[in-house]
């Protein structure tokens, strides 16, 4: 069964023993949940084709904040990382709009409604197709994707095999779209 929710909701399902194992974008917040990092991803800055920031060698978040910003919904792991980076740099941003759909944000960027910072794995195809353009951030934003399960959970052979498969995903040369 596949369940797609914010990391905090997934953690709660693990704690309630409603699911055995999960993949999340952040480190778990609950002490009773163990995590195994399985993949690294980078948050990348995207702009519409012909955007002025395309002419800069390296862009900062402060540079991007000068344009209408499109963001994922509050509470999403990617947004939390981005907001923490803004806060560390004392950048105050009010998103033009937010969405639970990465593809809606990418489409909005592609038609010139604003700029965004999203997980590379989720926008790679749109960058390759030229729908949006990636700009290099002066300070790359990396994140680890994690497999999580309750610390008291007995791991079956199938669960162990799943964890091993996730950890080897980069070696399998699979084109994934989350």
């Amino acid at each position: 069964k596949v369940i797609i929710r914010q990391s905090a909701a997934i953690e709660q399902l693990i704690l309630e023993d409603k699911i055995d194992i999960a993949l999340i974008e952040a480190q778990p917040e609950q002490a009773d949940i163990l995590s195994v990092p399985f993949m690294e991803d980078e948050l990348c800055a995207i702009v519409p084709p012909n955007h002025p920031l395309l002419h800069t060698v390296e862009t900062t978040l402060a540079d991007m904040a000068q344009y209408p910003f499109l963001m994922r919904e509050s509470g999403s792991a990617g947004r939390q990382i981005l907001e923490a980076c803004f806060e560390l740099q004392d950048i105050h941003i009010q998103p033009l709009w937010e969405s639970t759909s990465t593809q809606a944000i990418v489409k909005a960027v592609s038609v010139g409604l604003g700029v965004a910072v999203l997980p590379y794995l989720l926008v790679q195809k749109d960058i390759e197709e030229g729908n949006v353009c990636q700009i290099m951030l002066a300070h790359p934003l990396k994140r680890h994707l994690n497999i999580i399960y309750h610390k008291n959970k007995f791991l079956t052979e199938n669960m162990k095999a799943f964890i091993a498969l996730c950890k080897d995903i980069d070696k399998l040369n699979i084109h994934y779209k989350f």
Side-chain angles (χ1 to χ4, degrees):
K1 182 178 183 179
V2 176
I3 299 172
I4 300 174
R5 298 221 173 94
Q6 290 181 352
S7 296
I10 295 293
E11 287 184 48
Q12 191 59 42
L13 293 172
I14 293 275
L15 291 172
E16 294 170 0
D17 202 26
K18 292 183 177 173
I19 59 174
D20 295 323
I21 195 166
L23 307 177
I24 63 170
E25 299 176 277
Q27 286 293 320
E29 295 181 10
Q30 303 296 325
D32 287 342
I33 296 179
L34 299 178
S35 71
V36 177
F38 74 96
M39 182 186 298
E40 187 176 85
D41 186 21
E42 187 170 319
L43 296 178
C44 74
I46 58 170
V47 297
N50 301 317
H51 193 275
L53 287 177
L54 287 171
H55 304 293
T56 60
V57 176
E58 285 185 333
T59 303
T60 64
L61 289 177
D63 295 333
M64 291 193 69
Q66 302 305 308
Y67 296 91
F69 221 97
L70 313 178
M71 297 178 84
R72 287 291 310 263
E73 78 281 5
S74 291
S76 70
R79 173 133 176 199
Q80 288 174 334
I81 292 169
L82 189 56
E83 286 178 337
C85 291
F86 281 135
E87 190 172 319
L88 283 173
Q89 297 177 38
D90 199 29
I91 299 170
H92 303 284
I93 191 157
Q94 181 63 41
L96 176 65
W97 59 269
E98 45 189 67
S99 176
T100 59
S101 168
T102 298
Q103 285 308 303
I105 294 171
V106 171
K107 180 65 175 168
V109 169
S110 75
V111 298
L113 294 181
V115 300
V117 175
L118 296 167
Y120 179 75
L121 291 174
L122 299 180
V123 298
Q124 178 180 3
K125 183 178 177 191
D126 291 288
I127 292 168
E128 290 169 356
E129 292 175 354
N131 301 326
V132 294
C133 297
Q134 179 180 4
I135 54 176
M136 293 290 120
L137 289 173
H139 303 286
L141 306 174
K142 299 202 181 274
R143 68 186 183 143
H144 283 89
L145 305 177
N146 294 287
I147 304 159
I148 63 168
Y149 55 91
H150 195 281
K151 69 179 185 179
N152 296 329
K153 177 62 68 180
F154 172 77
L155 296 179
T156 65
E157 290 306 313
N158 285 341
M159 292 167 76
K160 290 177 187 175
F162 176 76
I163 291 169
L165 181 65
C166 288
K167 290 168 78 174
D168 286 342
I169 198 162
D170 286 330
K171 297 175 191 169
L172 298 174
N173 197 22
I174 296 173
H175 297 281
Y176 30 82
K177 187 83 167 174
F178 295 96

